[in-house]
Amino acid sequence: MIHELPVLPYSTEALQKAISSKTMEFHYGKHHQTYVNNLNNLIKGTKFEDASLETIILEADGAIFNNGAQVWNHTFYFMSFSPTGGGEPSGQLLELIKKQFGSISEFKEKFSQAAISLFGSGWAWLVLRPDGSLDIVQESNAGNPLRSGHKPLLTFDVWEHAYYLDYQNRRADYVSALWNIVDWGTVESRLSK
Ligand code: MN
């Protein structure tokens, strides 16, 4: 099976209140595309040739895991945003966040800290645990919480390539800006997927 770069439901200029078109052109157009290309080359002739990305994340190691997980993680990340995003979650997601973290602002603070304090390259995740509660986890490099049995709901990419063109070393400013584009409807829909 040939993996493909997903088509995004917005233009490269659309997220400018947090992510510039230049960053989109590199992060989506070059980095994400390269993970797709690398994966397609690596799986040829292996048992993962026809495997889904989820199977690759759960079962592969080394370069196939790294590139497969990075394809999945980036698609999930880019699909979490919308030019009309921001604001606050509602419905079941709002109730779960209040139950786990006290309030939306306390949740955002904790999630932001997880993203800012992650050493090196990686991802901060909001996940649904098997017991139905929420958690915030940090994953290094290509790490993905599916591997720990968690359901991913939201992720912030904190590899430097995600923010360096726009924010240089100011990772905290990038993290803060991302809240302005989070598509909470998409995040909530992931609870039941
Ligand atoms: Mn990235």
Side-chain angles (χ1 to χ4, degrees):
M1 140 165 129
I2 306 294
H3 297 276
E4 291 182 359
L5 189 70
V7 175
L8 299 182
Y10 49 78
S11 71
T12 53
E13 297 83 34
L15 303 182
Q16 283 190 18
K17 51 188 173 176
I19 301 172
S20 71
S21 56
K22 187 157 185 103
T23 290
M24 287 300 300
E25 284 160 20
F26 278 89
H27 196 194
Y28 168 69
K30 306 284 186 195
H31 290 277
H32 196 176
Q33 180 71 65
T34 299
Y35 293 125
V36 171
N37 296 346
N38 288 346
L39 181 65
N40 285 325
N41 288 327
L42 286 162
I43 59 177
K44 275 180 204 156
T46 75
K47 66 173 178 175
F48 297 109
E49 193 157 16
D50 293 312
S52 67
L53 285 178
E54 287 78 10
T55 298
I56 288 171
I57 287 168
L58 292 175
E59 297 179 11
D61 287 305
I64 293 181
F65 169 79
N66 285 335
N67 284 279
Q70 285 293 78
V71 172
W72 195 101
N73 293 355
H74 282 89
T75 298
F76 193 82
Y77 166 80
F78 287 123
M79 294 298 187
S80 300
F81 302 130
S82 162
T84 57
E88 300 204 336
S90 60
Q92 188 193 359
L93 181 61
L94 175 63
E95 292 312 310
L96 286 171
I97 287 175
K98 284 201 287 197
K99 190 175 167 193
Q100 194 70 40
F101 305 104
S103 67
I104 299 301
S105 61
E106 284 173 272
F107 158 68
K108 285 185 176 175
E109 176 62 29
K110 274 196 175 140
F111 190 97
S112 296
Q113 272 311 313
I116 293 162
S117 67
L118 194 155
F119 186 78
S121 296
W123 304 79
W125 299 85
L126 174 66
V127 300
L128 184 66
R129 293 190 291 218
D131 67 4
S133 63
L134 300 180
D135 200 3
I136 295 167
V137 295
Q138 296 173 316
E139 296 276 358
S140 292
N141 302 316
N144 182 300
L146 288 170
R147 216 152 144 124
S148 311
H150 298 135
K151 182 184 283 198
L153 301 177
L154 175 67
T155 193
F156 284 4
D157 183 349
V158 293
W159 284 56
E160 282 189 346
H161 69 216
Y163 60 89
Y164 214 81
L165 289 174
D166 296 337
Y167 300 92
Q168 294 79 48
N169 61 318
R170 292 173 284 115
R171 186 192 285 188
D173 290 352
Y174 156 73
V175 167
S176 174
L178 287 184
W179 295 117
N180 297 323
I181 55 170
V182 171
D183 181 356
W184 287 111
T186 292
V187 177
E188 188 182 6
S189 74
R190 291 166 173 164
L191 283 170
S192 51
K193 273 183 185 157

